[in-house]
Amino acid sequence: MEERKNHIDPAQKALLKTAEELFVRFSSALKTAQIYAPNNLAFVKQISPLFTMLQNILNDWGQAQFHFRENTLFFNTIRVKFDFLSFHKFKLLAEIFREREIGLLGFASGLDNDEFNQFVVLLANSKTNGENPFEDFKAKIESDGLNHIFLEKLHPFERAASKKPEQVKQAAKKVFIKSIVHLKDVFNKEPEEKMPRLRTSRRLIQSIVNIINQDEAFMIGLTNMKNFDDYIVYHSANVSILSVCFGRRLGLDRKELIDLGISSFFHDIGKLGVPKEIIDKKEKLNDEEKKIMQRHTYHGAGKLVCLKDVSYLPVKAIYVALEHHLWANLSGYPKYWKRDTISLFSKIVKICDFFDAITTKRPYREYVLNRDEALSLMIEKSGEEFDPVLLKIFANMVGVYPIGTLVALNTGELSIVTETNPEVAFILRPKVKLITDEIGNKIDGEIIDLTERDPETEEYKRSIIKSLEPEKYDIKPSDYFLAQEN
Ligand SMILES: [Fe+2]
Ligand SMILES: [Fe+2]
């Protein structure tokens, strides 16, 4: 996944190193506090150097704060990066913050060893099953007189976005269904009342962006949901999800992603002006019908121009409605819309639109392409119809977990994809080879089928949380395949 580059000035590099070490020690101390009693030697050995470190930081920098934001941990102003060995430690700390809805944890000067010990034990072992985990935890800190520790609650937006993997998947399904209901409302009304409620659209797209930040792969997996009868509705939702995922990989910021999502939602709104007989016609369209169909770009742009709620609708949406059938070489349609360039949003939507359309069954399309076939067809048209650089990035994105991808599992194990699952419903459950155990030790593990379920609970035994960049973990996936062949 594309990551934004952090420009860290040299003065901060020392802090970064210290922060990383502090983070690893803090996480280990919490783990130990979950297992041993506070007077146990193992715990004491962990906590003393950690406390000394914290004291030094407070003396040197005057503050020591952990922030948890967008599933990322920051220490003071530095983003704490985890590597191959510290991944499971990051996971533990992130989980502890998330369960207690902590957005910020700070230590103030004057903190002593006892207070710190007490706090670590409390943080590691406090219950989180109440309705208000943050308030409960904060009350406990205050009643125990831990005065040099301060906490801030996760921002509501962050709370919504920092759910557990299973909750994120549930939320993803919910927002997908809500989007379908909303789009049905837009596309199935009588012509006069077909003005979309843009506030609702915008709120839905905001949720989609939040969820994509948490679990992009699952959201892309949802775009496999197609509906033959309600094509335009599902198509609009799918194109919107694909575009936002795509835009995120291109490094667009949150506001731009929301604008892109809205623009994609309504890219085909002009089809409301095309007679149903033409849209659903089984046979090839004749020239006249083709012309009428192609006019959906003008109809769409016109309709969006007329919408009053401009604050919820970006001007770019009008360009997308107009330009999403233009080719990279400026052919395509509308024929009389000629500019030297096509907007980035339109190029993105063009790719996502084409991909979703040719992988969906339609009255006039007997053979539906699978993802690989669709991508090969599009790659043949690279440069002419599609922007070649964008297409490459897109191909990388929708081939969700191609063979050789390094992935983190919900068990804490790392593994490499060895075989993709041909069933579309199981696109997120390939076969993987385990290469570390749960605590990060490298192993020559077995090959696991991720569709395997626990016979008792019926739950999947393992699931992928996210894909990782092999270079960062000093892993060469090719080594594992070469080893297999011997
Ligand atoms: Fe279109
Ligand atoms: Fe479309």
Side-chain angles (χ1 to χ4, degrees):
M1 193 154 304
E2 191 113 331
E3 272 185 30
R4 298 199 159 202
K5 290 190 176 67
N6 284 328
H7 297 287
I8 301 162
D9 77 64
Q12 284 192 302
K13 273 191 180 161
L15 178 59
L16 175 61
K17 211 169 168 291
T18 313
E20 282 175 356
E21 201 187 329
L22 179 75
F23 146 75
V24 169
R25 282 182 185 272
F26 188 34
S27 180
S28 302
L30 286 165
K31 183 85 197 160
T32 313
Q34 285 176 337
I35 302 169
Y36 299 106
N39 55 359
N40 183 287
L41 194 63
F43 180 65
V44 177
K45 268 189 177 170
Q46 292 255 3
I47 205 93
S48 302
L50 172 62
F51 177 69
T52 311
M53 230 184 141
L54 199 57
Q55 280 291 1
N56 292 338
I57 291 172
L58 281 170
N59 290 340
D60 292 349
W61 282 286
Q63 61 166 358
Q65 297 180 351
F66 286 96
H67 304 247
F68 186 57
R69 203 161 68 219
E70 291 196 15
N71 220 14
T72 304
L73 201 68
F74 294 82
F75 180 71
N76 287 347
T77 52
I78 300 282
R79 175 182 176 166
V80 183
K81 289 184 183 157
F82 59 89
D83 61 15
F84 173 61
L85 290 171
S86 61
F87 171 70
H88 61 285
K89 291 196 163 70
F90 167 81
K91 201 173 150 247
L92 174 81
L93 204 56
E95 206 113 284
I96 284 179
F97 271 60
R98 189 185 296 129
E99 283 172 357
R100 289 156 187 79
E101 299 185 339
I102 297 173
L104 182 148
L105 161 64
F107 301 96
S109 300
L111 178 80
D112 69 25
N113 206 341
D114 278 353
E115 188 180 352
F116 183 62
N117 284 14
Q118 227 181 314
F119 171 73
V120 172
V121 172
L122 197 63
L123 181 63
N125 298 299
S126 61
K127 299 242 179 323
T128 55
N129 46 6
E131 267 191 27
N132 302 303
F134 178 81
E135 285 75 11
D136 295 347
F137 183 62
K138 199 169 179 220
K140 184 81 182 119
I141 299 277
E142 282 163 9
S143 69
D144 282 5
L146 308 181
N147 300 326
H148 300 91
I149 284 143
F150 50 97
L151 298 166
E152 276 176 25
K153 194 172 179 172
L154 269 182
H155 187 273
F157 155 64
E158 298 286 347
R159 282 211 298 285
S162 67
K163 292 173 177 158
K164 288 181 182 169
E166 285 317 307
Q167 290 177 312
V168 176
K169 289 180 175 55
Q170 284 305 329
K173 286 185 219 163
K174 245 190 199 166
V175 75
F176 186 84
I177 292 164
K178 278 188 183 169
S179 303
I180 295 298
V181 172
H182 174 63
L183 286 163
K184 269 189 185 173
D185 198 44
V186 172
F187 282 101
N188 294 342
K189 279 182 182 170
E190 288 308 307
E192 317 74 66
E193 28 163 346
K194 280 173 188 161
M195 283 300 180
R197 281 175 294 128
L198 288 175
R199 248 177 100 165
T200 310
S201 317
R202 205 158 178 99
R203 224 178 306 125
L204 285 167
I205 297 291
Q206 282 166 352
S207 304
I208 288 174
V209 172
N210 293 349
I211 289 164
I212 288 171
N213 278 332
Q214 290 271 289
D215 194 342
E216 183 202 48
F218 189 77
M219 209 70 204
I220 293 179
L222 284 182
T223 64
N224 285 298
M225 275 205 243
K226 317 270 188 180
N227 188 305
F228 182 71
D229 297 319
D230 243 334
Y231 167 74
I232 193 69
V233 167
Y234 281 77
H235 171 69
S236 303
N238 290 344
V239 173
S240 198
I241 291 168
L242 290 172
S243 299
V244 172
C245 293
F246 196 176
R248 186 168 167 266
R249 285 178 178 237
L250 297 173
L252 301 187
D253 66 24
R254 184 175 163 75
K255 156 96 174 51
E256 289 168 321
L257 289 179
I258 293 168
D259 284 351
L260 175 60
I262 295 268
S263 307
S264 318
F265 239 31
F266 299 123
H267 76 281
D268 267 342
I269 197 167
K271 287 205 176 157
L272 282 169
V274 180
K276 220 175 155 9
E277 312 81 76
I278 296 185
I279 288 191
D280 290 338
K281 192 176 171 187
K282 277 196 175 124
E283 300 78 33
K284 250 187 148 199
L285 300 183
N286 62 36
D287 286 351
E288 188 49 35
E289 289 164 334
K290 246 188 217 164
K291 265 188 203 159
I292 296 172
M293 180 64 127
Q294 293 184 355
R295 270 184 223 140
H296 80 273
T297 50
Y298 281 125
H299 285 312
K303 196 165 179 60
L304 294 177
V305 167
C306 292
L307 288 179
K308 290 186 192 77
D309 258 343
V310 269
S311 52
Y312 297 108
L313 186 82
V315 177
K316 287 174 182 170
I318 298 162
Y319 282 101
V320 168
L322 202 55
E323 295 178 337
H324 71 275
H325 289 282
L326 279 179
W327 288 26
N329 63 8
L330 296 172
S331 62
Y333 66 89
K335 294 234 176 333
Y336 306 106
W337 172 250
K338 284 287 172 259
R339 299 198 312 162
D340 297 342
T341 53
I342 303 170
S343 77
L344 175 66
F345 277 21
S346 302
K347 286 182 190 168
I348 292 174
V349 175
K350 161 82 186 153
I351 291 175
C352 300
D353 173 56
F354 189 94
F355 178 78
D356 185 69
I358 57 169
T359 51
T360 308
K361 197 174 164 215
R362 299 289 295 128
Y364 47 82
R365 191 180 295 124
E366 272 181 25
Y367 182 67
V368 180
L369 303 185
N370 67 32
R371 292 189 160 214
D372 288 347
E373 292 165 330
L375 284 175
S376 331
L377 174 73
M378 290 169 78
I379 286 161
E380 273 173 37
K381 294 157 171 272
S382 180
E384 276 175 47
E385 184 160 357
F386 307 105
D387 182 295
V389 177
L390 291 181
L391 186 59
K392 247 190 193 167
I393 298 168
F394 181 79
N396 206 289
M397 179 183 91
V398 287
V400 186
Y401 296 124
I403 292 172
T405 311
L406 175 65
V407 288
L409 305 180
N410 59 347
T411 49
E413 296 155 304
L414 297 188
S415 63
I416 286 184
V417 175
T418 55
E419 205 180 306
T420 51
N421 198 316
E423 287 280 313
V424 170
F426 292 117
I427 198 160
L428 303 174
R429 302 201 164 273
K431 285 189 181 156
V432 299
K433 178 181 170 60
L434 299 179
I435 60 162
T436 79
D437 63 14
E438 287 136 346
I439 55 165
N441 299 315
K442 282 195 180 184
I443 54 164
D444 182 17
E446 48 183 323
I447 293 187
I448 305 284
D449 187 340
L450 293 179
T451 58
E452 263 180 40
R453 291 173 191 262
D454 184 320
E456 270 183 42
T457 61
E458 291 278 301
E459 302 269 339
Y460 286 113
K461 286 186 178 172
R462 293 175 172 86
S463 301
I464 293 175
I465 303 177
K466 64 193 281 191
S467 56
L468 305 166
E469 289 174 41
E471 300 80 11
K472 279 196 184 166
Y473 296 83
D474 194 24
I475 288 170
K476 275 201 193 122
S478 55
D479 290 349
Y480 293 89
F481 294 101
L482 292 173
Q484 260 179 22
E485 278 175 21
N486 293 333

